Amino acid sequence: MFKNYIKTAFRSLYKNKGFTAINILGLALGLTTCLLIVLYVVDELSYDHYNVNHERIYRVNEDLKLGDNKVDYAVCMPPLAKTLKAEYPYVIEAARIKAAGTTHVKKGDLSIVENHIAFTDASIFSVFTLPMINGNPKTALSEPNTVVITETTAKKYFNTTDAIGKIIVFNDKENYKVTGVIKDVPKQSHFNFDFFVSLESFPDSRSNEWLRSDYNTYVLLKDKSYANQLNAAFPAFLQKFSGSQMQSELNMSYDQFEKNGSYFRLNLIALDDIHLKSNRSGELGPNGTTQYVYIFSAIALFILLIACVNFMNLSTARSANRAREVGVRKVLGSSRQHLIFQFLAESVMVTLFATIIAVLAAAVLLPVFNQIAGKDIVLTVQSFKWLAPSVFAIVIIVGTLAGSYPAFFLSGFQPIAVLKGKLSAGFKGSFLRSFLVVFQFSISILLIVGTLVIYNQLNFIQTKNLGYNRNQVLIVQNLGELGNQAGVFKQELSHLPGVSNSTMTGFLPTSNWKNTRIFFKDATLNQKQSLFPQTWEVDADWIPTLDMKMVQGRNFSKNISTDSSAIVINEAAAKFLGYKNAINQQLYQSLGGKTEISNTVIYHVIGVVKDFHFNSLREKIEPVILKMGQNNGALSIRLNASNLPALMAQIKAKWAGLSPNVQINYSFMDQDFDAAYRSEQRIGKIFVIFTTLAIVIACLGLFGLAAYAAEQRTKEIGIRKVLGADVSAIVAMLSKDFVKLVLLSIIIASPLAWYLMNKWLQDFAYRINIHWWVIAIAGAGALAIAIITISFQSFKAALANPVNSLKDQ
Amino acid sequence: MIKITNLEKFYRTEEVETIALNKLSMHVDTGEFVAIMGPSGCGKSTLLNILGMLDDPDEGSYVFNSIEVAHFNERKRADLRKHNIGFVFQSFNLIDELTVFENVELPLIYTGVTTAERVKRVEEVLDKMQIMHRRNHYPQQLSGGQQQRVAIARAVVNKPKLILADEPTGNLDSSNGNDVMELLTDLNEQGTTIIMVTHSEHDARYSHRIIRLLDGQTVMENIMV
Ligand SMILES: Nc1ncnc2c1ncn2[C@@H]1O[C@H](COP(=O)(O)OP(=O)(O)OP(=O)(O)O)[C@@H](O)[C@H]1O
Ligand SMILES: [Mg+2]
């Protein structure tokens, strides 16, 4: 019997090849997309799960409020880790990580730029699961000047993973002994380092200061239930350990400090939450956001729904055609059950084909998808363990659902009614089908609006006046290599034609150099009157090189000696400080120790620079204070060259003259800027792809329905044509019903899209407005696509010889 | 009004090629009432469909009102059709979803007649066909004779110059059949050209001229007296 179902199903599907193809194709397309998104989402959700103890590992965060300044840190005080471990027995292990900036590592004569270097406590390997191939994880980092490297790094520098005892030279002078080689840190980790340098090598690591924060601090708890206990213990703990330092340095007790409305607070964040939920100052790398996980999950679900809706729609539409078949079968004695199984077998079979195609397509497309999404997803045996059952579930659920309408509905008819053809009359009649078409198109319109808004916002970011000019700026990143020759290099470049200006500092709007310092508005160092700005050391050429505008006062000058204590602030700082006229205002900075006027540095404001963006445009512009200083972090050169290659050659030659051994390392400021928005651009791209797919799938369904409608009404079309209907009248007649449904979708989807996208935009401090025309374009687009799809079928029907349709009775 | 020369029509299926019309030539003058007869399968319906521009010939020429239409596409044919030709079929071909009134109104809609004028003309013709009292019924609710009268009403409502009828009495009893033939004769007397396919010698006698077909060729023409 079962074999008979399969055989009949197969023949029936084969007989309606076009219909079956549309059905399988649409469903396969939907499932492929869905699978890829699911892989993406699972990847995002499983960050840091490679740690055996991931459920018991927490990072300590610090929230700081000082006066009106609030900062959320991912980093804590230097002594916190060891103190927590000593104080609380349920803190089994604690480890700190401090990211090192760009470092040069020697390989033979070459100097290689490395960005993934961290100082870590020896306990790092007890907290995180970073399996060591060579060396002893317990002791590897307990000595100063030791380093543990990853497998890939070992191969890169020593051509072997057996690198124990070898020496690594940082920045041309610091020698570190390799004491361990670990497996590469998994991609799904919120940090990604190639070098783990012992913190013992770094004297600051033994600092006992409780009033500053610069170490990412992780604790391994005995059980995750202790997290609440530790969170509850933090206030008293902080008071106990930082109270005396507060008294001596800020001249006030901890209670007083809190009474002023300021606070230090510690709290735990679960390791598993860091990647998606943490976006604090001092993160070890860029994290993801739950927002996109939600959005993509929703899209996956939508696309799957659209595909299923198609499937159901086409199946039910066709079922009317099969009413006669059902009637005949019933007359011949088929039971209702038999018919139900027959229809279900057919629909499950289509789903099965579609799923097989989808799984294969997803596997083939995964590398492409990885590239677009910036991911490194691989299908492993592990992934098949959850994939296989879910895919199987999809086949059964979707197959049954889609087949259930024709199965139960048709099989329930009285044979005589079916044979008299009373059923095939009403194509328009199906409310369910209309509802499903509206549903599909509403989602499509939602996705189109989403895509347009995201694209507009990204475009807005890219073309927004940032307050500086990022074009034609060359940044020499490893200027530090030149040591005190850096100034000579800058001097020599200034003589080159094509170099219009240059500035020497690592602090740039596009770099991630950050430096927060506390300034006070008055000499009493009252923290209520404090400012927590970015404090950047720049030179007098900084503002002109970056093409920034002064709104008040003047820029620094090399020739005015008092400018060493001068500062230029941005508009945001002036506003925060409440200055109408900022010029000649004074700001105070503590030198540490007692809070006394003799212990402070006084700065006077000489100018206000127009606000410029340096964080992501998601965030508001923070206050910035610029002061004169020697900083050879980078050299930014404003070019004015018609022949860039020639100029580059000259610059490289000058560099080689000063540093023959080390290659110049440079980038362009506009590219650095673009890099900062790459993840957003990726999201935009993925969005466009998914939207297109969703629309294609929806249209595929509409195409099938239109074909079906035309087929159903062949005779009517024939008669109407005999009576004088021309092509346009027939096309209009066939399209009208669908167009009405699409219009209804527009009405439903527009406000929803507007609301949802406005919500998304709230995340950006600088954002576009959603104009009515965005919605109009989306609606018109969906309508146009639908009409084109339907017309294709309608024209075919309308242009046929009427005699063909009349014969067909 | 109509002149066809060496008209050919083939039907190709996978195995056989049927020649439905074989170098057929004939002409029909304005105001004539012509009957086409012949055994089943000789190509009568095929000829009528081509004359009505519902189908296109494979070879030969078809001049309608001095216009060569053999190679017209569907768009142009539709335009000629709606202004000049009315059809009556053996199986009526009424649209089930529309009422009697709406069925008859349809050709007027397609030729762009105003609503008021449409109502007037439909009522006029329904009156003439004596089915006014059935105007709001659906086709299934009518007898065969009534349905054919609706079909004729629909064919003439636009005042076509030519009416093509394919076995208009084929599904009717003799009394209903005679009524239909009377209607056609009336229309002819008012100036409408009529070409009718029939199997009935009785019906053929209403016409002026009988064209007899055999295997797609004219075998004989009888002029009625
Ligand atoms: N669509 C078609 N495909 C193949 N052959 C066809 C087709 N339509 C008609 N024929 C063939 O063309 C020939 C003429 O058919 P036609 O319908 O014109 O005959 P007829 O004279 O109207 O017959 P009847 O009196 O039975 O209605 C027949 O042999 C028929 O089998
Ligand atoms: Mg015939």
Side-chain angles (χ1 to χ4, degrees), chain A residues 19 308-321 405-406 409-410 413 423-441 701-702 704-710 712-713 737-738 741-742 744-745:
Chain A
F19 168 85
C308 289
V309 162
N310 259 350
F311 187 22
M312 283 170 79
N313 249 346
L314 288 173
S315 303
T316 50
R318 199 172 61 112
S319 67
N321 251 5
Y405 175 80
F409 182 65
L410 281 180
F413 286 139
L423 287 169
S424 45
F427 171 78
K428 296 185 240 176
S430 170
F431 172 77
L432 177 72
R433 211 167 312 134
S434 307
F435 171 80
L436 292 177
V437 169
V438 169
F439 176 80
Q440 278 188 321
F441 269 82
L702 207 56
L705 280 182
Y708 176 76
Q712 278 283 290
R713 299 171 77 170
D737 297 331
F738 290 113
L741 295 181
V742 176
L744 184 62
S745 313

Coordinates of all heavy atoms in Angstrom, one line a residue, chain A residues 19 308-321 405-406 409-410 413 423-441 701-702 704-710 712-713 737-738 741-742 744-745:
Chain A
F19 N 4.5 22.8 -12.4 CA 4.0 23.1 -11.0 C 4.9 22.5 -10.0 O 5.3 23.1 -9.0 CB 2.6 22.5 -11.0 CG 2.0 22.4 -9.6 CD1 1.4 23.5 -9.1 CD2 2.2 21.3 -8.8 CE1 0.9 23.5 -7.8 CE2 1.7 21.3 -7.6 CZ 1.0 22.4 -7.1
C308 N 6.8 28.1 2.7 CA 5.8 27.2 3.1 C 4.4 27.6 2.5 O 3.6 26.9 2.1 CB 5.7 27.0 4.6 SG 7.1 26.1 5.2
V309 N 4.2 29.0 2.7 CA 2.9 29.5 2.2 C 2.8 29.3 0.7 O 1.7 28.8 0.3 CB 2.9 31.0 2.5 CG1 1.8 31.7 1.7 CG2 2.7 31.3 4.0
N310 N 3.8 29.5 0.0 CA 3.8 29.2 -1.4 C 3.4 27.8 -1.7 O 2.5 27.5 -2.6 CB 5.3 29.2 -2.0 CG 5.5 30.5 -2.6 OD1 4.6 31.2 -2.9 ND2 6.8 30.7 -3.0
F311 N 4.0 26.9 -1.0 CA 3.8 25.5 -1.2 C 2.4 25.2 -0.9 O 1.7 24.5 -1.7 CB 4.8 24.8 -0.2 CG 4.8 23.3 -0.4 CD1 4.4 22.7 -1.5 CD2 5.2 22.5 0.7 CE1 4.5 21.4 -1.7 CE2 5.3 21.2 0.5 CZ 4.9 20.6 -0.6
M312 N 1.8 25.7 0.2 CA 0.4 25.4 0.5 C -0.5 26.0 -0.5 O -1.5 25.4 -0.9 CB 0.1 26.0 1.9 CG 0.6 25.1 3.0 SD 0.5 26.0 4.6 CE -1.2 25.7 4.9
N313 N -0.2 27.2 -0.9 CA -1.0 27.9 -1.8 C -1.1 27.2 -3.1 O -2.2 27.0 -3.7 CB -0.4 29.3 -2.1 CG -1.2 30.4 -1.6 OD1 -2.4 30.1 -1.2 ND2 -0.7 31.6 -1.5
L314 N 0.0 26.8 -3.6 CA 0.0 26.1 -4.9 C -0.7 24.7 -4.8 O -1.4 24.3 -5.7 CB 1.5 25.9 -5.4 CG 2.1 27.2 -5.9 CD1 3.6 27.0 -6.2 CD2 1.3 27.8 -7.1
S315 N -0.4 24.1 -3.7 CA -1.0 22.8 -3.5 C -2.5 22.9 -3.5 O -3.2 22.1 -4.1 CB -0.5 22.1 -2.2 OG 0.9 22.0 -2.3
T316 N -3.0 23.8 -2.7 CA -4.5 23.9 -2.6 C -5.1 24.4 -3.9 O -6.1 24.0 -4.2 CB -4.9 24.9 -1.4 OG1 -4.2 26.1 -1.6 CG2 -4.6 24.3 -0.1
A317 N -4.4 25.3 -4.5 CA -4.9 25.8 -5.8 C -5.1 24.7 -6.7 O -6.1 24.5 -7.4 CB -4.0 26.9 -6.4
R318 N -4.1 23.8 -6.8 CA -4.1 22.7 -7.7 C -5.1 21.7 -7.3 O -5.7 20.9 -8.1 CB -2.7 22.1 -7.8 CG -2.6 21.3 -9.0 CD -1.2 20.8 -9.2 NE -0.8 20.0 -8.0 CZ -0.5 18.7 -8.1 NH1 -0.6 18.1 -9.3 NH2 -0.2 18.1 -7.0
S319 N -5.4 21.7 -6.0 CA -6.3 20.6 -5.5 C -7.7 20.7 -6.1 O -8.4 19.7 -6.3 CB -6.4 20.7 -4.0 OG -7.0 21.8 -3.6
A320 N -8.1 22.0 -6.4 CA -9.4 22.1 -7.0 C -9.4 21.4 -8.4 O -10.4 20.8 -8.7 CB -9.7 23.6 -7.2
N321 N -8.3 21.5 -9.1 CA -8.2 20.8 -10.3 C -8.4 19.3 -10.1 O -8.7 18.5 -11.1 CB -6.9 21.0 -10.9 CG -7.0 21.9 -12.1 OD1 -8.1 22.4 -12.4 ND2 -5.9 22.1 -12.8
Y405 N -4.3 20.6 3.8 CA -5.5 21.2 3.3 C -6.1 20.4 2.2 O -7.3 19.9 2.3 CB -5.2 22.6 2.8 CG -6.4 23.3 2.2 CD1 -7.4 23.8 2.9 CD2 -6.5 23.3 0.8 CE1 -8.6 24.3 2.4 CE2 -7.7 23.8 0.2 CZ -8.7 24.4 1.0 OH -9.8 24.9 0.4
P406 N -5.4 20.1 1.1 CA -6.0 19.3 0.1 C -6.4 17.9 0.6 O -7.4 17.4 0.3 CB -4.9 19.1 -1.0 CG -3.7 19.7 -0.4 CD -4.0 20.6 0.7
F409 N -9.5 18.4 3.2 CA -10.6 19.2 2.6 C -11.2 18.4 1.4 O -12.4 18.1 1.4 CB -10.0 20.5 2.1 CG -11.1 21.4 1.5 CD1 -12.1 21.9 2.3 CD2 -11.0 21.8 0.2 CE1 -13.0 22.8 1.7 CE2 -11.9 22.7 -0.4 CZ -12.9 23.2 0.4
L410 N -10.4 18.0 0.5 CA -10.9 17.4 -0.7 C -11.4 16.0 -0.5 O -12.4 15.6 -1.0 CB -9.8 17.3 -1.8 CG -9.5 18.5 -2.6 CD1 -8.4 18.3 -3.6 CD2 -10.8 19.0 -3.3
F413 N -15.2 15.5 0.3 CA -16.3 15.9 -0.5 C -17.2 14.7 -0.9 O -16.7 13.5 -1.0 CB -15.8 16.4 -1.8 CG -15.3 17.8 -1.7 CD1 -14.1 18.2 -2.3 CD2 -15.9 18.7 -0.9 CE1 -13.6 19.5 -2.2 CE2 -15.5 20.0 -0.7 CZ -14.3 20.4 -1.4
L423 N -17.0 22.4 -7.7 CA -15.9 22.9 -6.9 C -14.9 23.8 -7.6 O -14.4 24.7 -7.1 CB -15.1 21.7 -6.2 CG -15.9 21.1 -5.1 CD1 -15.3 19.8 -4.7 CD2 -16.1 22.0 -4.0
S424 N -14.7 23.4 -8.8 CA -13.6 24.1 -9.5 C -14.0 25.5 -9.9 O -13.2 26.3 -10.4 CB -13.2 23.3 -10.8 OG -14.3 22.9 -11.4
A425 N -15.2 25.9 -9.7 CA -15.7 27.2 -10.1 C -15.0 28.3 -9.4 O -14.5 29.3 -10.1 CB -17.2 27.3 -9.9
G426 N -14.8 28.2 -8.1 CA -14.4 29.4 -7.4 C -12.9 29.5 -7.1 O -12.5 29.0 -6.1
F427 N -12.2 30.1 -8.0 CA -10.8 30.3 -7.6 C -10.7 31.5 -6.7 O -9.9 31.4 -5.7 CB -9.9 30.6 -8.9 CG -8.6 31.0 -8.5 CD1 -7.6 30.1 -8.2 CD2 -8.2 32.4 -8.5 CE1 -6.4 30.4 -7.8 CE2 -6.9 32.7 -8.1 CZ -6.0 31.8 -7.8
K428 N -11.5 32.5 -6.9 CA -11.4 33.7 -6.1 C -11.9 33.4 -4.7 O -11.5 34.1 -3.8 CB -12.3 34.8 -6.7 CG -11.9 35.3 -8.1 CD -12.7 36.4 -8.5 CE -13.5 36.1 -9.8 NZ -14.4 37.2 -10.2
G429 N -12.6 32.4 -4.6 CA -13.3 32.1 -3.4 C -12.5 31.8 -2.2 O -12.9 32.0 -1.0
S430 N -11.2 31.4 -2.4 CA -10.5 30.9 -1.3 C -9.9 32.0 -0.4 O -9.0 32.7 -0.8 CB -9.3 30.0 -1.8 OG -8.5 29.8 -0.7
F431 N -10.5 32.1 0.7 CA -10.1 33.2 1.7 C -8.7 32.9 2.2 O -7.8 33.7 2.3 CB -11.0 33.3 2.9 CG -10.5 34.2 3.9 CD1 -10.6 35.5 3.8 CD2 -10.0 33.6 5.1 CE1 -10.2 36.4 4.8 CE2 -9.5 34.5 6.1 CZ -9.6 35.8 5.9
L432 N -8.5 31.6 2.4 CA -7.2 31.2 3.0 C -6.1 31.6 2.0 O -5.1 32.1 2.4 CB -7.2 29.6 3.1 CG -5.8 29.1 3.6 CD1 -5.6 29.4 5.1 CD2 -5.8 27.6 3.4
R433 N -6.3 31.3 0.7 CA -5.3 31.6 -0.3 C -5.0 33.1 -0.3 O -3.9 33.6 -0.4 CB -5.7 31.1 -1.6 CG -4.5 30.7 -2.4 CD -4.9 29.9 -3.6 NE -5.9 28.8 -3.3 CZ -7.0 28.6 -4.0 NH1 -7.3 29.3 -5.0 NH2 -7.8 27.6 -3.6
S434 N -6.1 33.9 -0.3 CA -5.9 35.4 -0.3 C -5.1 35.8 0.9 O -4.2 36.6 0.8 CB -7.2 36.1 -0.3 OG -8.0 35.6 -1.3
F435 N -5.4 35.3 2.0 CA -4.8 35.6 3.3 C -3.3 35.3 3.2 O -2.4 36.1 3.5 CB -5.4 34.8 4.4 CG -4.6 35.0 5.7 CD1 -4.8 36.1 6.5 CD2 -3.8 34.0 6.1 CE1 -4.0 36.2 7.7 CE2 -3.0 34.1 7.3 CZ -3.2 35.2 8.0
L436 N -3.0 34.2 2.6 CA -1.6 33.8 2.5 C -0.8 34.6 1.6 O 0.4 35.0 1.8 CB -1.5 32.3 2.1 CG -2.0 31.3 3.1 CD1 -1.9 29.9 2.6 CD2 -1.2 31.4 4.4
V437 N -1.4 35.0 0.5 CA -0.7 35.9 -0.5 C -0.5 37.3 0.2 O 0.6 37.8 0.1 CB -1.6 36.1 -1.7 CG1 -1.0 37.3 -2.6 CG2 -1.6 34.9 -2.6
V438 N -1.4 37.8 0.9 CA -1.3 39.0 1.7 C -0.1 38.9 2.7 O 0.7 39.8 2.8 CB -2.6 39.5 2.4 CG1 -2.3 40.6 3.3 CG2 -3.6 39.8 1.4
F439 N -0.1 37.8 3.4 CA 0.9 37.6 4.4 C 2.3 37.6 3.7 O 3.2 38.3 4.2 CB 0.7 36.2 5.0 CG 1.7 35.7 5.9 CD1 1.7 36.2 7.2 CD2 2.7 34.8 5.6 CE1 2.7 35.8 8.1 CE2 3.6 34.4 6.4 CZ 3.6 34.9 7.7
Q440 N 2.5 36.9 2.6 CA 3.7 36.8 1.9 C 4.2 38.2 1.5 O 5.3 38.6 1.7 CB 3.6 36.0 0.6 CG 3.7 34.6 0.8 CD 3.7 34.0 -0.6 OE1 3.0 34.4 -1.5 NE2 4.5 32.9 -0.7
F441 N 3.3 38.9 0.9 CA 3.7 40.2 0.3 C 3.9 41.2 1.4 O 4.8 42.1 1.3 CB 2.7 40.7 -0.7 CG 3.2 40.2 -2.1 CD1 2.9 39.0 -2.5 CD2 4.0 41.1 -2.8 CE1 3.4 38.5 -3.7 CE2 4.5 40.6 -4.0 CZ 4.2 39.3 -4.5
G701 N 5.8 32.0 -6.0 CA 4.5 31.5 -5.6 C 3.4 32.2 -6.4 O 2.4 31.6 -6.9
L702 N 3.5 33.5 -6.5 CA 2.5 34.3 -7.3 C 2.5 33.8 -8.7 O 1.4 33.8 -9.3 CB 2.9 35.8 -7.2 CG 1.8 36.8 -7.3 CD1 0.8 36.5 -6.2 CD2 2.3 38.2 -7.2
G704 N 3.1 30.9 -9.9 CA 2.3 29.7 -9.9 C 0.9 29.9 -9.8 O 0.1 29.3 -10.5
L705 N 0.5 30.8 -8.8 CA -0.9 31.1 -8.6 C -1.6 31.7 -9.9 O -2.7 31.3 -10.2 CB -1.1 32.0 -7.4 CG -1.0 31.3 -6.1 CD1 -1.3 32.4 -5.0 CD2 -2.0 30.2 -6.0
A706 N -0.8 32.6 -10.5 CA -1.3 33.3 -11.7 C -1.5 32.3 -12.8 O -2.5 32.3 -13.5 CB -0.4 34.4 -12.1
A707 N -0.6 31.4 -12.9 CA -0.7 30.4 -14.0 C -1.9 29.5 -13.7 O -2.7 29.2 -14.6 CB 0.6 29.5 -13.9
Y708 N -2.1 29.2 -12.4 CA -3.2 28.4 -12.1 C -4.5 29.1 -12.3 O -5.5 28.5 -12.9 CB -3.1 28.0 -10.6 CG -4.3 27.2 -10.2 CD1 -4.4 25.9 -10.6 CD2 -5.3 27.8 -9.5 CE1 -5.5 25.2 -10.3 CE2 -6.4 27.1 -9.2 CZ -6.5 25.8 -9.5 OH -7.6 25.1 -9.2
A709 N -4.5 30.4 -12.0 CA -5.8 31.2 -12.2 C -6.1 31.2 -13.6 O -7.3 31.1 -14.0 CB -5.6 32.6 -11.6
A710 N -5.1 31.5 -14.5 CA -5.3 31.5 -15.9 C -5.8 30.2 -16.4 O -6.8 30.2 -17.2 CB -4.0 31.9 -16.6
Q712 N -7.4 27.9 -14.7 CA -8.8 27.7 -14.3 C -9.8 28.5 -15.1 O -10.9 28.0 -15.3 CB -8.9 28.3 -12.8 CG -8.4 27.4 -11.8 CD -9.5 26.3 -11.5 OE1 -10.5 26.6 -11.0 NE2 -9.2 25.1 -11.9
R713 N -9.4 29.6 -15.6 CA -10.4 30.4 -16.3 C -10.2 30.4 -17.8 O -10.7 31.3 -18.5 CB -10.2 31.9 -15.8 CG -10.5 31.9 -14.3 CD -10.2 33.2 -13.7 NE -11.2 34.2 -14.0 CZ -11.3 35.4 -13.4 NH1 -10.4 35.7 -12.5 NH2 -12.2 36.3 -13.7
D737 N -7.4 40.7 -9.2 CA -7.5 40.1 -7.9 C -6.2 40.1 -7.1 O -6.2 40.4 -5.9 CB -8.0 38.6 -8.0 CG -9.4 38.6 -8.7 OD1 -10.1 39.6 -8.5 OD2 -9.7 37.6 -9.4
F738 N -5.1 39.8 -7.9 CA -3.8 39.7 -7.2 C -3.4 41.1 -6.8 O -2.8 41.3 -5.7 CB -2.8 39.1 -8.1 CG -3.0 37.7 -8.3 CD1 -3.4 37.2 -9.6 CD2 -2.8 36.8 -7.3 CE1 -3.6 35.8 -9.7 CE2 -3.0 35.4 -7.5 CZ -3.4 35.0 -8.7
L741 N -4.8 42.2 -3.6 CA -4.1 41.6 -2.5 C -2.8 42.3 -2.2 O -2.5 42.5 -1.0 CB -3.9 40.1 -2.7 CG -5.2 39.3 -2.9 CD1 -4.8 37.8 -3.1 CD2 -6.1 39.4 -1.7
V742 N -2.0 42.6 -3.2 CA -0.8 43.2 -3.0 C -1.0 44.6 -2.4 O -0.3 45.0 -1.5 CB 0.1 43.3 -4.3 CG1 1.4 44.1 -4.0 CG2 0.4 41.9 -4.7
L744 N -3.4 45.5 -0.5 CA -3.8 45.3 0.9 C -2.5 45.0 1.7 O -2.3 45.6 2.8 CB -4.7 44.1 1.0 CG -5.2 43.8 2.4 CD1 -6.1 45.0 2.9 CD2 -6.1 42.5 2.4
S745 N -1.6 44.3 1.2 CA -0.3 44.0 1.9 C 0.4 45.3 2.1 O 1.0 45.5 3.2 CB 0.6 43.1 1.0 OG -0.1 42.0 0.5

